[in-house]
Amino acid sequence: MKQGPDKVLECPNCKTAMIIFTLASGNTVDAQTWTDGKMIAPMLPQLPAITKCSTCTHFFWLCEATVLGEIPLWGPELDKIPENWKKAERVRDLTEIEYLEAISKGAALNRDQEIYLRLGAWWAGNDPQRDMNHTPEASGFTRTQEGIHNLKRFSGLLDENNPRERLFKAEAMRELGLFSEALNLLVFNFPKEYENNVNLIRDLAEKKDFLLREIIE
Ligand SMILES: [Zn+2]
């Protein structure tokens, strides 16, 4: 992985400067993927698309924020950056509760943005199940009422004619314990590259297993 220079953005609401990393290059060596579709790649960290301002708590999409400049990785220019950039907070991933808060505050202006936020909430809610120190059974995971509600709303937004969205929906149904709905959704002409994931999710649904599972290729 090769890091690029940090970018400095400003909160559109209160103009506080915030910092986000950039990547010059990366790869998926040692990446882990799970049945909910999340991939964690140590050498290819995912940039968030939305964040919460640390000063005024406003949610904003990073693509809509004004870029103030860049912090060079090294060199004499590094000493010349503004004081407020030096103590600026880093953009971080939202928590499950924050993703849902962003929706309730109207951050999703269209279907794609709502899907992004509900998917983010689902993944963040599932993160305790990704802890490699526990088996999924031993993690003692229970989904919150907000998490269950989110997963139902998320499923309702998905297009069953789109293979990727249909597979997300099948997995959401399985994780909700709605196994026959999950199995029905898996009866579909999925493209070849989906075969491994479809078979795994079908096996789990047949065993009435609702826990998140890592996909071992
Ligand atoms: Zn702000």
Side-chain angles (χ1 to χ4, degrees):
M1 180 177 79
K2 204 159 162 269
Q3 210 188 327
D6 281 339
K7 236 171 23 177
V8 186
L9 308 167
E10 77 175 6
C11 164
N13 189 49
C14 75
K15 312 293 177 202
T16 294
M18 292 184 80
I19 292 174
I20 184 152
F21 73 95
T22 65
L23 275 184
S25 66
N27 60 64
T28 56
V29 172
D30 292 332
Q32 290 176 294
T33 51
W34 282 268
T35 45
D36 66 358
K38 183 167 176 173
M39 179 182 76
I40 296 182
M43 305 301 271
L44 191 66
Q46 303 294 299
L47 290 160
I50 190 168
T51 199
K52 184 178 186 177
C53 173
S54 54
T55 304
C56 75
T57 74
H58 177 70
F59 291 95
F60 63 94
W61 297 94
L62 302 185
C63 61
E64 289 167 5
T66 303
V67 178
L68 300 174
E70 276 183 2
I71 300 179
L73 290 169
W74 58 78
E77 295 301 311
L78 202 48
D79 297 327
K80 296 181 195 156
I81 66 168
E83 272 311 303
N84 64 326
W85 291 15
K86 289 179 189 165
K87 44 184 196 304
E89 282 195 31
R90 290 191 164 268
V91 166
R92 59 170 177 83
D93 289 323
L94 300 182
T95 64
E96 178 186 19
I97 298 297
E98 286 171 336
Y99 277 113
L100 300 177
E101 197 188 339
I103 295 169
S104 66
K105 288 191 171 177
L109 299 178
N110 54 49
R111 174 184 174 271
D112 285 352
Q113 287 183 337
E114 187 172 347
I115 285 179
Y116 180 89
L117 294 172
R118 294 201 182 278
L119 180 62
W122 180 23
W123 284 354
N126 272 348
D127 282 347
Q129 298 190 83
R130 285 180 241 276
D131 184 346
M132 287 298 118
N133 296 317
H134 300 285
T135 61
E137 287 81 1
S139 69
F141 178 79
T142 46
R143 200 172 298 286
T144 61
Q145 282 306 312
E146 292 82 4
I148 292 169
H149 178 71
N150 175 60
L151 212 36
K152 289 179 178 167
R153 292 292 296 269
F154 174 68
S155 301
L157 290 168
L158 299 175
D159 175 3
E160 292 182 9
N161 295 314
N162 174 311
R164 183 172 179 270
E165 295 188 18
R166 189 175 177 106
L167 189 58
F168 269 135
K169 190 164 180 171
E171 172 65 1
M173 292 297 131
R174 182 186 75 81
E175 291 190 26
L176 287 168
L178 302 169
F179 301 115
S180 53
E181 282 86 341
L183 290 169
N184 284 340
L185 285 161
L186 293 173
V187 181
F188 185 71
N189 193 14
F190 284 101
K192 187 92 185 124
E193 64 269 26
Y194 285 66
E195 203 174 303
N196 191 32
N197 296 8
V198 168
N199 290 340
L200 174 59
I201 293 169
R202 184 188 298 112
D203 283 353
L204 293 169
E206 283 171 351
K207 288 185 211 151
K208 304 203 184 311
D209 177 338
F210 59 85
L211 294 170
L212 183 72
R213 299 287 171 174
E214 188 180 348
I215 296 170
I216 312 290
E217 298 290 336

